[in-house]
Amino acid sequence: MPRQTIKLFFSALALILTNACRKNEELAKSSEVEVLFEKSKADSIDTKTRLDYINAALGKLSENEFDSLALAMLYNKSYCHYKLQEPDSSHTIDAYTFRNAVRLDNRYYIARTARDLGIHFEKKQEFDSAFFYHNISKNNFLYLKDSVEVGRRLLRQGIIQKNQNDFFGAKETLVESLRFLETDSKYRAIVYNELGTIHRKLSNPEDARVYFERAISSSLSSSDIIAYKNNLAILYTELGEFESAINQLQDLLENSDMDQESARYARVLDNLAYSRWSQDHRYGNIDFFQALRIRKEVDDRRGQIASYSHLGEFYAAKDPVLSKSYLDTAIQISRQLKIPVGESDALALLMKNQPDNMVFKDRYIFLRDSLYARELRVKTQFAKMKYDDEQEKNRILLLENETYQKQVALVEEKNQKIILLSLSVLLFLGGLFYYKLLRQRHRREKLREVYSTEKRISKKIHDELANDIYGIMARIEHSGTLGGENTLIELESIYNRTRDISHTTGDIKTDDFKSELKRLISLFNGGNTNIITKGINDIEWGKLNEEKKITLYRVINELLVNMKKHSEASLVSIQFIKIKNKLRVNYVDNGKGVIKPIDKSSGLLNTENRIKNMKGTFSFDSEPGKGVTVKFTLPI
């Protein structure tokens, strides 16, 4: 047995030490990972060094150690690849981070990685995936109460819908985004600009003008204002307000913030050339070619589609062959960039030049049908995503409402308990106060009773005993002798009366109350008075408490004393009756009675008060020559 005990002890000790060592290793590893990650945040290092630190930190983590710190490192790693112009690596890490963030239910990184994935798919022109991830990002930012990011995700969704010709859906989404961008003037201006473009596409020029002007007035960025004024100038051109368009575009070209070799400058220049040519077809082509040259140099391929389309329209009447060449180039670039709208617009211009060319017509019809089918599919997808999103919101709101209702019910229940407890406390305190009040009143009654008793005893001793004793003393003093037998008789009388006073005011034996009560009655029974009792043996005196026994004793004593002193009754009846939970006492004598109105003496008043203090009832009746009747009850 001792060997086994020692063996078990050392085994347990080894296990404890092993676990302690493992925990120390884990803490050391965790500390090392945190140190490496902190080093990667230093401002003084370049992006490549930053990435090396992050990779080193991630290399020390195993799959089961993946937590929010690992998500933070992965998110920073993705940003490093983005800065190093490695978009594919950045996207791969974003996708991996997103999956793990979902697994860990980390809303912070779900929101951010979904946003980055949405931007990636938007650049790849995979708009359904882009919309999907922007929607996930928006919902998680909404959960995180990041209003600005919610508004920005809605803006990207609205732009995607606009680019897919879902103008009504886009308008609804963009208007919703404004609710979340109240403090972000830059993005509010972008929303106004997009709404202006949508209304221009929907042939609502006045609404378009209002939104473009709002974008211009609310933006604080000179670069953005140039873009918004350019869009407003396009609207002027479409409305035939060429002078307004030309003046605005000319002012933009002369703006000191405009880089004359930028894609933006080329866009404004191309629009200015188109507005001047639209106003006067005699206008030359030099600005069209300058804009195209800049767009080629900066590789603005979308801009090149606009330049070639404008040149095709410019040469349509002058040189149809050259016009077709430019329009064919626009179609080719549109196909390469997967922009069917650009191809469709170029085909529309070609059909004007060659209305009988069935190849153009068939291709145009095919493209329009494809675009319509695609727009319909995209609109359906977007509508379904928004519908699912609304359903999810409603479900969450319903759950929140149910939770709120439960919380309200719990609060109400708690309040009810507090109210009930407060009422109970108040009732208890009120009862305690009332009890103390009754006790004080009872004490006062007791004091009054004691005082009254003392006064009565004092008067009785003075009136009945002291005078008689003084008389005997005076007679002995004058006669010089004790007075013989008469003196003894008087002294015996004084003794008997002293004994009566003692019985009246002395202690009462409540343990054997029936015998005590009988003894009291027997003191007054005899001589010229006969007292008859009935029911005294039938009462269960043990059920009566001490106070009530004393009260009953004092009342009967008072009645018998009054009878002896005033009534001169020869016959007295005292009946004890138990009625349910009450003791009833009927006292009747055949004495002289009392002349009405009845003047209750202090003794009789004390008697009535004693009974009422015990929650009992008391009645007194008497007529001259017909004796006295007293009835009182006490609760048992």
Side-chain angles (χ1 to χ4, degrees):
M1 281 296 290
R3 285 185 179 179
Q4 288 179 345
T5 305
I6 292 168
K7 217 172 180 184
L8 283 170
F9 170 75
F10 280 110
S11 298
L13 184 63
L15 185 62
I16 291 167
L17 290 171
T18 303
N19 287 334
C21 290
R22 188 182 293 118
K23 283 187 177 180
N24 286 334
E25 287 174 8
E26 288 173 359
L27 287 170
K29 186 196 287 187
S30 174
S31 177
E32 192 176 356
V33 168
E34 289 174 6
V35 168
L36 287 168
F37 186 41
E38 285 300 316
K39 285 183 177 180
S40 75
K41 298 177 184 178
D43 295 331
S44 58
I45 61 176
D46 58 29
T47 305
K48 184 68 174 65
T49 308
R50 195 184 311 278
L51 183 60
D52 290 340
Y53 277 126
I54 294 171
N55 285 332
L58 286 168
K60 294 185 177 296
L61 294 177
S62 59
E63 281 294 325
N64 60 351
E65 294 174 319
F66 210 94
D67 56 9
S68 58
L69 178 63
L71 291 175
M73 289 190 289
L74 283 171
Y75 189 73
N76 280 269
K77 178 179 168 70
S78 169
Y79 181 71
C80 289
H81 283 293
Y82 172 78
K83 291 280 285 181
L84 292 169
Q85 297 184 351
E86 298 170 353
D88 291 338
S89 297
S90 178
H91 169 66
T92 302
I93 294 164
D94 281 338
Y96 179 70
T97 309
F98 175 77
R99 289 194 300 273
N100 281 283
V102 171
R103 180 175 62 82
L104 295 172
D105 194 28
N106 189 308
R107 299 293 192 109
Y108 182 88
Y109 286 107
I110 292 174
R112 281 158 176 75
T113 52
R115 175 190 62 195
D116 295 345
L117 288 168
I119 293 169
H120 169 81
F121 285 115
E122 208 172 333
K123 289 177 180 177
K124 291 283 187 181
Q125 297 187 17
E126 297 178 26
F127 296 113
D128 52 351
S129 296
F131 191 93
F132 173 77
Y133 281 107
H134 280 309
N135 200 52
I136 291 174
S137 179
K138 177 205 70 178
N139 289 336
N140 282 276
F141 277 124
L142 195 62
Y143 175 84
L144 295 169
K145 294 182 171 55
D146 190 338
S147 298
V148 171
E149 277 295 342
V150 172
R152 291 177 183 180
R153 294 314 99 219
L154 284 167
L155 169 60
R156 294 315 310 168
Q157 287 181 290
I159 291 172
I160 291 169
Q161 288 173 288
K162 182 205 72 174
N163 291 340
Q164 298 301 302
N165 294 337
D166 181 12
F167 297 124
F168 291 103
K171 185 171 71 169
E172 184 182 336
T173 303
L174 290 169
V175 169
E176 184 185 357
S177 73
L178 289 171
R179 289 196 301 112
F180 299 94
L181 296 171
E182 291 181 357
T183 60
D184 193 335
S185 59
K186 175 180 174 64
Y187 280 87
R188 282 182 73 84
I190 295 172
V191 173
Y192 290 141
N193 178 64
E194 294 298 331
L195 285 168
T197 303
I198 288 168
H199 281 288
R200 183 171 68 82
K201 296 282 187 182
L202 292 171
S203 300
N204 298 324
E206 290 308 314
D207 288 336
R209 190 196 306 265
V210 168
Y211 279 113
F212 284 137
E213 288 174 350
R214 281 187 189 174
I216 293 165
S217 64
S218 61
S219 178
L220 301 175
S221 167
S222 58
S223 176
D224 290 346
I225 289 172
I226 290 170
Y228 304 151
K229 286 185 174 180
N230 177 70
N231 290 338
L232 181 58
I234 294 171
L235 177 65
Y236 289 149
T237 301
E238 290 177 352
L239 293 173
E241 299 175 15
F242 300 116
E243 284 300 324
S244 297
I246 291 166
N247 290 335
Q248 181 136 294
L249 292 167
Q250 190 67 49
D251 288 342
L252 292 178
L253 288 178
E254 293 170 1
N255 192 309
S256 59
D257 292 331
M258 184 75 82
D259 180 2
Q260 294 188 2
E261 294 299 321
S262 66
R264 178 165 290 176
Y265 183 88
R267 187 180 308 124
V268 174
L269 182 62
D270 185 62
N271 287 332
L272 176 61
Y274 187 77
S275 294
R276 283 174 170 166
W277 176 78
S278 298
Q279 185 184 37
D280 185 356
H281 282 10
R282 292 174 298 176
Y283 181 75
N285 60 10
I286 187 167
D287 288 338
F288 283 121
F289 283 115
Q290 186 182 352
L292 179 59
R293 176 188 63 78
I294 295 170
R295 281 168 164 166
K296 284 182 176 179
E297 287 176 358
V298 298
D299 197 28
D300 179 11
R301 304 196 72 198
R302 292 181 70 94
Q304 290 174 39
I305 296 173
S307 285
Y308 284 120
S309 296
H310 284 163
L311 284 167
E313 193 174 350
F314 178 84
Y315 283 105
K318 298 177 182 179
D319 189 344
V321 175
L322 186 58
S323 172
K324 180 179 180 302
S325 172
Y326 285 130
L327 292 172
D328 283 343
T329 305
I331 289 170
Q332 183 182 358
I333 296 172
S334 296
R335 287 178 178 176
Q336 289 171 355
L337 296 179
K338 298 178 182 177
I339 304 174
V341 176
E343 183 181 356
S344 173
D345 291 343
L347 283 169
L349 292 171
L350 282 171
M351 285 191 298
K352 283 184 181 180
N353 293 339
Q354 301 178 36
D356 297 329
N357 190 319
M358 295 306 296
V359 174
F360 293 156
K361 280 186 177 180
D362 290 343
R363 177 63 181 168
Y364 180 79
I365 292 168
F366 171 77
L367 276 176
R368 298 309 299 175
D369 289 345
S370 298
L371 281 170
Y372 177 76
R374 180 184 174 186
E375 287 170 14
L376 187 62
R377 186 183 72 254
V378 168
K379 285 178 184 178
T380 304
Q381 285 178 338
F382 293 162
K384 185 179 184 305
M385 284 184 195
K386 294 202 80 173
Y387 174 77
D388 291 343
D389 195 31
E390 288 299 320
Q391 291 295 104
E392 181 64 16
K393 280 183 188 175
N394 290 335
R395 187 185 68 81
I396 292 169
L397 284 172
L398 186 64
L399 287 173
E400 287 177 349
N401 185 52
E402 288 178 359
T403 304
Y404 174 75
Q405 293 295 336
K406 288 178 181 177
Q407 288 174 344
V408 168
L410 285 171
V411 170
E412 286 180 353
E413 186 180 346
K414 186 178 179 181
N415 289 338
Q416 287 176 355
K417 286 180 179 178
I418 291 170
I419 290 168
L420 285 172
L421 183 62
S422 301
L423 286 173
S424 300
V425 170
L426 286 172
L427 286 171
F428 173 75
L429 292 174
L432 188 62
F433 176 76
Y434 184 66
Y435 170 73
K436 287 188 174 181
L437 190 67
L438 286 177
R439 282 194 65 184
Q440 287 178 351
R441 186 187 296 173
H442 184 66
R443 284 198 194 99
R444 286 197 295 271
E445 293 292 337
K446 283 283 188 184
L447 287 171
R448 279 199 293 268
E449 184 183 336
V450 169
Y451 176 73
S452 176
T453 303
E454 288 174 349
K455 189 177 177 182
R456 190 172 68 252
I457 294 169
S458 175
K459 188 174 183 301
K460 203 164 191 174
I461 291 171
H462 179 271
D463 293 348
E464 297 181 17
L465 300 180
N467 289 339
D468 290 350
I469 292 171
Y470 180 78
I472 293 171
M473 288 170 61
R475 189 169 62 248
I476 293 171
E477 184 179 350
H478 286 293
S479 64
T481 62
L482 292 176
E485 188 177 345
N486 289 332
T487 302
L488 289 174
I489 292 169
E490 287 178 10
L491 287 173
E492 185 179 0
S493 173
I494 290 170
Y495 166 76
N496 288 331
R497 279 181 285 161
T498 303
R499 187 187 61 185
D500 290 343
I501 292 171
S502 175
H503 283 303
T504 302
T505 59
D507 290 337
I508 301 167
K509 297 177 182 178
T510 56
D511 293 340
D512 188 11
F513 184 68
K514 182 171 70 173
S515 300
E516 187 76 359
L517 194 58
K518 285 181 176 181
R519 187 185 62 77
L520 171 66
I521 294 169
S522 68
L523 292 175
F524 296 90
N525 193 14
N528 298 323
T529 305
N530 183 26
I531 301 175
I532 301 170
T533 60
K534 184 178 180 182
I536 194 168
N537 294 320
D538 300 331
I539 303 300
E540 296 180 39
W541 296 105
K543 291 185 178 180
L544 211 63
N545 65 37
E546 187 174 1
E547 282 187 332
K548 290 174 184 176
K549 287 176 181 178
I550 293 169
T551 298
L552 179 63
Y553 185 94
R554 297 292 186 206
V555 169
I556 291 174
N557 180 72
E558 188 69 36
L559 292 173
L560 291 174
V561 167
N562 283 338
M563 176 272 297
K564 202 75 172 175
K565 286 173 65 176
H566 309 297
S567 182
E568 298 179 5
S570 61
L571 184 62
V572 177
S573 170
I574 304 175
Q575 185 179 21
F576 300 89
I577 308 167
K578 183 179 180 301
I579 303 172
K580 293 184 179 178
N581 59 343
K582 291 181 180 180
L583 170 63
R584 180 169 177 175
V585 178
N586 295 333
Y587 170 91
V588 181
D589 68 34
N590 64 349
K592 293 189 297 183
V594 180
I595 300 172
K596 288 185 178 180
I598 299 168
D599 180 22
K600 294 181 180 179
S601 66
S602 60
L604 192 60
L605 184 61
N606 283 339
T607 300
E608 185 175 352
N609 287 338
R610 282 195 182 102
I611 295 297
K612 288 184 176 178
N613 283 339
M614 293 290 113
K615 308 297 182 187
T617 62
F618 183 90
S619 67
F620 178 91
D621 190 31
S622 179
E623 289 185 19
K626 293 187 177 180
V628 171
T629 299
V630 176
K631 296 179 180 179
F632 63 89
T633 61
L634 284 172
I636 295 177

